[in-house]
Amino acid sequence: MSDLPPMTSVKRWLVTTNHKDVGILYLSTALFFLLFGGILALLFRAHLWEAGGTGLLTDNEFNQAVSAHGLLMVFWFLSPIASGFANYLIPLQIGADDLAFPRLNALSYWFYLFSGILLALSFFQGGHFAGGWTMYAPLNVPTYTPAMEATTGGNATILALMLFIFSITIGTVNFLVTIHRSRAEGLGLWNMPMFTWSWLLTVWMMLFAFAALLAAILLLSIDRLFLTQYFATDQGSGLLWAHLFWFFGHPEVYIVFFPALGIMFETFQTFTGRRLVGRKWVIIAMVLVTVQSFLVWMHHMFLTTINLEIKTLMMATTIGISLPFDLMVFALIYTMVKGRVRFTTPFLFSLGALVLFILGGITGVFLGAVVLDYEFRGTYWVVAHFHYVMVSGVTALIGGLYYWWPKISGKMYSETLGKLNFAVYFIGFNLLYFPLFLAWETPRRVFHFSESMEIYHQVATVGAFILGASFLIMFYTFAKSWVSGPEAPDNPWEYSRTAEWSITSPPPLENWDGRPTYASGRLEFVDDSKAATDGGVATSEAATTAHEEEHADHASIWPFGIGVGMFVFFLGLTGLTPYMVEFAEGTGSPPEGIVGTANDPNIMYPIITVAGLAILGYTLFKFGVEEFNAPEMAIAERWPFEGVGNTKFGVWVFLASDVMVFGAAIGAFVFMRLHMGWGNWETVPFASWPGLLNTYVLLTSSFTVILALVFAERQNKKGLLGALGATLLLGLTFMGVKAYEYSVKFAEGDWWWSGIEYSIYFVTTGLHALHVILGLLIAIFMIYRVISVDAYLEDHRPVEFFGLYWHFVDIVWVFLFPLFYLM
């Protein structure tokens, strides 16, 4: 399938891989989750009208609403709406035809959508997770869940977040490869548009931050589904979760705000009529924030038992990270002062975002001081500060919707309605959030507060409904524009300066009539096919590439199919806890606090799990054998990755993310062992020889993978099949030894829930074994392809990419072997 149905067809949106279509899907879905999270907020704000609660919600319903609101807004709205802008605009801004991997781009959307559906279903599975969006241990495991009947719904929430992180990881790899390797000729990194710069740094943060969160969510889901003991003990589990979560959580603040900042840069330039003041220093400041964002996470943990010296260091890094933001704020102010401001709707929202962010930043400095944090932590001061920072980003994102609406829709909107939207939004925002500073003595996530605080909460509730009304005005403005708005010109903004405004509104499917180039110092379009008629090697290559690009594919049903398979599989997993409880009780040594507390097993969940695996296996196979053409740009700026192909660079980026996952899992082992006392740790493996044998087996398999690449380069089919077959057999041998090792421990009565040492051993080595299994499935698929269509003989690169993954898995085992078998 390569041809796209018309945009009025439902089929179009199920099969499309075009970046603009995927961007529209992201934007519309994110706005839906905005409404979902907003309605929950209005529910609990109405409940907070009186000091003891209005009775609108029960205690548990209130906790569910607050938790779901936080999760929806932070994960399912803020990052995805920015991803929607990036999907639509980044290829246009850098002169690319599409993202590097169009099918993976579609797959990232379907994972996002189905993760949100799974989250919504949790309310119908006994109840949504009710432990707050930060999911602090030990309240995040079934043993401490207030209502055990909500275990299945809680599992659905956690697994939905895991599926969402899969979506983020796929999208991150795609954007990094695209921006680094598909920029138009002459477009160096320094000269990229500011929105592209903000998104490039955002996805670099996403790559590592979300990997840390994925590791935390993996451990939590295994605790919930298989009863391991990572977060159910009093042996440092709460501190472990805080480290893992906030190593993600603080970069997430900048992940959310950077795209909004990029929109502010673009709109300030357009509506002041001048280039951003100090542009080079602004970029450097953003790079500094990107790096520093991973060095400040412990300021969220000032109330823990971490020693004062470490807390003081984290206080210093927190204050330090505010300095680059000072530079960015002053750059925006000076750009406005030195330009001629036009107060359009996009500019009003961007200016409003700047004002709100300044207030949010100043109040955040209070929380960065250890002494003041002792007073403010856990109060509504944090709630107010957090929303002044995060929702100021939302303000700029709404400005982005107005700014690019003519380009996306081809229609102009009513400036009168847009300005009314801003006025109502700004009033509602401040009425909602500023009183929360005054009500700072109110504890977070509870509705029992002092009657002296009641007036502040009532004003905030009124503000919440006014803010909600502003979004109704926004939707009405866009709907009216879509139905009866005037046609938009290609460039409705006089001083816009980025490439998307140089083409029609909305843009054509293939983006460009000619090839964009900045070789002359300004944007021009070159007709390579015409130039090729002059003869010569260079022009001949250009003609060949132009011919290939005419046949680029834009449709595939299999990303949607994989999304369905993963959704069904995860839905089945949500109900497996009761079966694991029964199994644990049958062994005679179940974990404490779990006996007799789970729901009755429901046979439908195992059936759904198996069905999901079947759908997933079939659709992944069809995805693998599908002929889909997405050619690389023949002429592009690729510094500093000129010598690396798109797919190879993508594999390296993915493995960098996986390093973080394993690093977090191994770090959890080191942290918990140090917490208990290194010498007090019980060694779980019954002997060192299985680990030593498996080390030899895996190292040998790395050699056979290298042989496979050599045979593929020599176009030796029998040799390639033999080397891949040997790798497969060695991998199966590794799994056999591992199965024997596990069986011995089980026979001795040692299970993964028998203690924290056992949980860490089984989970960490099991995570590695899962990577081995995935590698074996890839090897089986490659052997099938060699036998059926003589694959990899003409193009040996897939064998090389498989080798990179397999060597990574082997290297991880080299670290695990001494940690678990020799120390």
Side-chain angles (χ1 to χ4, degrees), residues 137-138 140-141 144 216 219-220 223 229-233 237 240-241 244:
N140 52 11
V141 291
Y144 296 94
L219 301 182
L220 176 57
D223 264 15
Q229 302 291 294
Y230 273 94
F231 305 115
T233 73
S237 62
L240 171 63
W241 175 264
L244 290 173

Side-chain angles (χ1 to χ4, degrees), residues 275-296:
R275 185 180 171 92
L276 181 69
V277 171
R279 185 181 190 276
K280 178 175 71 174
W281 295 106
V282 169
I283 293 172
I284 292 172
M286 293 171 71
V287 173
L288 285 174
V289 170
T290 301
V291 175
Q292 287 178 270
S293 68
F294 292 94
L295 304 176
V296 298

